[in-house]
Amino acid sequence: NKKILAPMVRAGTLPFRQLARSYGADLVYSEELIDKKLVKCERTVNETLGLVEFRCNGALVFATPPSETSVVCQIGTADATTALAAATVVANDVAAIDINMGCPKRFSVHCGMGAALLTKPQTVKEILSTLVRNLSLPVTCKIRLLDTTVATLDLIRTIEQTGVSALAIHARQIPERPRDPAHWDELALLTPGRTVPIIANGDIYTPEDIVKVREQTGVDSVMIARGALKNPAIFSDGPMPDLHDCIREYLKLSCDCSNIYQNTKWAIGEMLDLNGLQKGEHSLKLQSARSLRELCAIWDVEDHYSDTLERLGMKELGGGAGKRKRAASVAIAQGGKARPEAIGSHEEDHGGQQQQLGAHLERGAQASGEACGSVARAEE
């Protein structure tokens, strides 16, 4: 009976996870972290921000508050040995470990990860059994539907035998994309007789959808991806707040952890886009914003930026405008001109603190497995 934020590349960074939690999400998944990169990470405590950070060659890969008890770390992997080594790195700072077995993108499957595992039941069994046997925290996984109900049931039975604590099912097949309707009817055929809790994922956009998918499929819990980006308050049991109020809260959380501004900017762009506001006044200003301060000015929370900057004793939050005058952000908020920039671009070189949560913003997948997982748009 849980409401869960799905793992989403770019969206699943710290401030959005915290936003989902503030609106009632029971569990929040990280974006996919690649095992080969995770094993190279060094755990440090950022005393200024009050965060536990995992960095690879200085670049931030994952961050979480030390007291967080609801974050599930999703790992992309193709073999049991590396999966265990990666999970061990973060095991003391997360609530559970999840293995991504559903991503259909080439950058993932060509490395043998994601949806490539769906047709390798022995590898699936080895990875999950190894984690369950060696870790003291829950292990879960997320899959997609196979070509037939029988094939999916066979895979589910294999997964059940490993002792995992839960199984999330994205109700689409490998070739299908978000524009294709999710197969809730197929989920209804998979849930009877299961010995592991089933989590439904796919086409859950409103609180009413949460009720419907449970009633129609008999699943134990729901996992929400694009519905949470459309309105993060979907997890709330109360009235849905205005989207711009959600964005203001998100910006405050981004300030609190000095989230790299390109990531914050991208997420806000997705929120506006999914609500059909990509050509509105706020979206046009968003495209010109080049710092976290300028983003805050657009939504009238620049005071929070300034207060946080003073409280933390930092020169800048989230990277961006550098030495440009404070008045520039005010001009942006009032509709003034600034050098155009595509939403989510990562042109500038941000050093040290300014790289907060920015490692996942790499533009394309490199050939090595450790780079798989950086894409331009969140997928369920």
Side-chain angles (χ1 to χ4, degrees):
N1 197 32
K2 304 295 185 185
K3 292 181 286 188
I4 303 167
L5 177 67
M8 293 184 286
V9 172
R10 281 192 172 186
T13 51
L14 179 58
F16 197 82
R17 297 199 310 265
Q18 292 181 316
L19 183 67
R21 282 286 290 154
S22 73
Y23 284 119
D26 297 295
L27 294 170
V28 290
Y29 279 53
S30 73
E31 60 180 345
E32 179 187 34
L33 306 179
I34 305 308
D35 57 359
K36 293 180 181 179
K37 175 168 285 188
L38 204 50
V39 296
K40 298 178 182 179
C41 284
E42 179 183 0
R43 180 188 185 276
T44 60
V45 177
N46 187 320
E47 299 289 353
T48 300
L49 297 176
L51 299 174
V52 174
E53 298 180 341
F54 295 86
R55 292 180 175 272
C56 178
N57 298 323
L60 189 66
V61 175
F62 177 64
T64 185
S67 59
E68 178 61 75
T69 59
S70 63
V71 63
V72 179
C73 178
Q74 188 184 69
I75 296 176
T77 188
D79 72 272
T81 301
T82 314
L84 178 59
T88 302
V89 172
V90 297
N92 292 329
D93 297 290
V94 298
I97 297 293
D98 181 81
I99 299 300
N100 181 358
M101 300 183 178
C103 181
K105 296 293 187 178
R106 183 183 179 278
F107 64 78
S108 190
V109 297
H110 98 279
C111 299
M113 304 184 299
L117 293 169
L118 295 177
T119 55
K120 299 177 181 179
Q122 186 58 37
T123 303
V124 167
K125 187 174 182 179
E126 290 173 359
I127 292 172
L128 296 178
S129 297
T130 297
L131 294 178
V132 170
R133 187 169 59 248
N134 290 280
L135 297 176
S136 59
L137 71 169
V139 176
T140 66
C141 66
K142 184 170 184 281
I143 67 171
R144 279 186 173 236
L145 300 175
L146 277 75
D147 293 342
T148 67
T149 302
V150 172
T152 306
L153 281 170
D154 286 343
L155 178 62
I156 291 174
R157 294 188 186 102
T158 296
I159 291 171
E160 286 179 319
Q161 294 170 5
T162 66
V164 295
S165 298
L167 168 63
I169 304 177
H170 182 176
R172 290 183 175 89
Q173 295 182 2
I174 295 175
E176 295 178 319
R177 295 296 180 266
R179 63 179 177 274
D180 301 308
H183 304 289
W184 288 6
D185 55 336
E186 184 78 8
L187 287 178
L189 301 176
L190 302 173
T191 53
R194 300 281 59 82
T195 62
V196 62
I198 301 296
I199 305 168
N201 174 229
D203 284 356
I204 302 172
Y205 291 103
T206 66
E208 292 75 23
D209 288 337
I210 294 174
V211 175
K212 288 179 183 178
V213 72
R214 283 174 171 162
E215 291 178 346
Q216 294 179 21
T217 67
V219 296
D220 300 278
S221 296
V222 296
M223 176 178 281
I224 307 170
R226 288 175 298 138
L229 271 174
K230 185 173 183 180
N231 193 325
I234 189 174
F235 301 102
S236 174
D237 293 326
M240 296 279 277
D242 179 76
L243 174 66
H244 293 290
D245 288 336
C246 293
I247 292 175
R248 291 183 186 95
E249 293 305 310
Y250 175 61
L251 281 165
K252 292 176 182 178
L253 291 168
S254 293
C255 289
D256 293 343
C257 67
S258 190
N259 190 42
I260 190 167
Y261 91 90
Q262 291 97 332
N263 179 245
T264 297
K265 179 176 177 177
W266 176 88
I268 294 173
E270 290 294 292
M271 294 183 210
L272 295 173
D273 184 48
L274 287 167
N275 284 276
L277 301 174
Q278 62 269 36
K279 294 183 179 180
E281 178 184 359
H282 285 89
S283 184
L284 293 176
K285 293 178 181 178
L286 178 73
Q287 293 178 41
S288 298
R290 296 188 58 77
S291 70
L292 189 54
R293 183 191 289 274
E294 291 179 1
L295 292 174
C296 288
I298 296 170
W299 275 272
D300 299 319
V301 290
E302 193 177 13
D303 284 349
H304 185 86
Y305 178 98
S306 299
D307 292 344
T308 305
L309 195 69
E310 182 178 358
R311 173 173 58 84
L312 297 177
M314 296 172 62
K315 295 181 179 180
E316 184 180 32
L317 299 176
K323 298 181 180 179
R324 293 199 300 170
K325 295 181 180 180
R326 180 177 181 274
S329 61
V330 177
I332 292 293
Q334 296 174 346
K337 294 183 179 180
R339 185 161 63 91
E341 176 190 273
I343 293 178
S345 71
H346 194 39
E347 300 171 355
E348 297 175 294
D349 178 23
H350 304 290
Q353 192 66 54
Q354 314 308 335
Q355 291 186 359
Q356 287 298 322
L357 305 176
H360 44 269
L361 290 175
E362 297 163 336
R363 270 301 186 186
Q366 299 172 11
S368 65
E370 68 180 46
C372 296
S374 296
V375 295
R377 186 176 178 87
E379 289 284 349
E380 290 181 346

